[in-house]
Amino acid sequence: MLIEIFIDYIRNRKDLREYVVKRKTIQERGEFNDVTLLQIQENLERLRVENPDIYEKMYEVLEAVFENDAGQRVDYALNFARQMSKMFKNKTPEEIYKQYKAVLKHKYQTLG
């Protein structure tokens, strides 16, 4: 149940701060801790402002991954979030986007 809620928040560009609050009412363990989720939300907001083109392209790849469904559906939103957690650290948004986009060429569409 929690993963489906997470997928909904990621795919529909909902505020992850709300997800952090909501998941506290569900007795399941999530993939990310609260601090990481909040950082992902901040990175999304920063990317949307500073580089809206890459922001849109990241979501285009996410939707393409879902459309191509290679049987690892649970991982798609998680992989997107992992890439967003790396944003603005040691790589540029363009580098993160290129790395994330490469998942479309992978047989199983997974990216750690």
Side-chain angles (χ1 to χ4, degrees), residues 80-108:
F80 178 86
R82 285 184 191 110
Q83 294 306 309
M84 290 310 305
S85 72
K86 298 176 190 176
M87 195 66 68
F88 304 112
K89 289 190 178 175
N90 296 323
K91 294 183 180 181
T92 67
E94 291 81 8
E95 291 170 324
I96 297 291
Y97 166 69
K98 287 179 185 174
Q99 180 181 353
Y100 182 55
K101 185 178 177 184
V103 75
L104 292 173
K105 297 177 184 173
H106 192 278
K107 179 178 176 183
Y108 301 108

Side-chain angles (χ1 to χ4, degrees), residues 25-104:
T25 65
I26 300 170
Q27 298 300 317
E28 289 182 39
R29 182 164 157 42
E31 177 75 16
F32 302 102
N33 64 38
D34 291 354
V35 172
T36 301
L37 288 166
L38 296 174
Q39 183 62 56
I40 290 167
Q41 181 62 41
E42 288 175 19
N43 289 351
L44 282 164
E45 291 170 358
R46 180 177 171 192
L47 185 63
R48 185 177 59 230
V49 169
E50 294 180 11
N51 202 326
D53 187 49
I54 295 295
Y55 175 84
E56 290 301 324
K57 287 180 179 181
M58 291 291 289
Y59 276 103
E60 287 171 13
V61 171
L62 176 64
E63 287 309 310
V65 167
F66 272 96
E67 287 174 20
N68 293 341
D69 194 354
Q72 303 293 325
R73 189 173 187 279
V74 168
D75 291 331
Y76 304 156
L78 296 173
N79 289 337
F80 178 86
R82 285 184 191 110
Q83 294 306 309
M84 290 310 305
S85 72
K86 298 176 190 176
M87 195 66 68
F88 304 112
K89 289 190 178 175
N90 296 323
K91 294 183 180 181
T92 67
E94 291 81 8
E95 291 170 324
I96 297 291
Y97 166 69
K98 287 179 185 174
Q99 180 181 353
Y100 182 55
K101 185 178 177 184
V103 75
L104 292 173

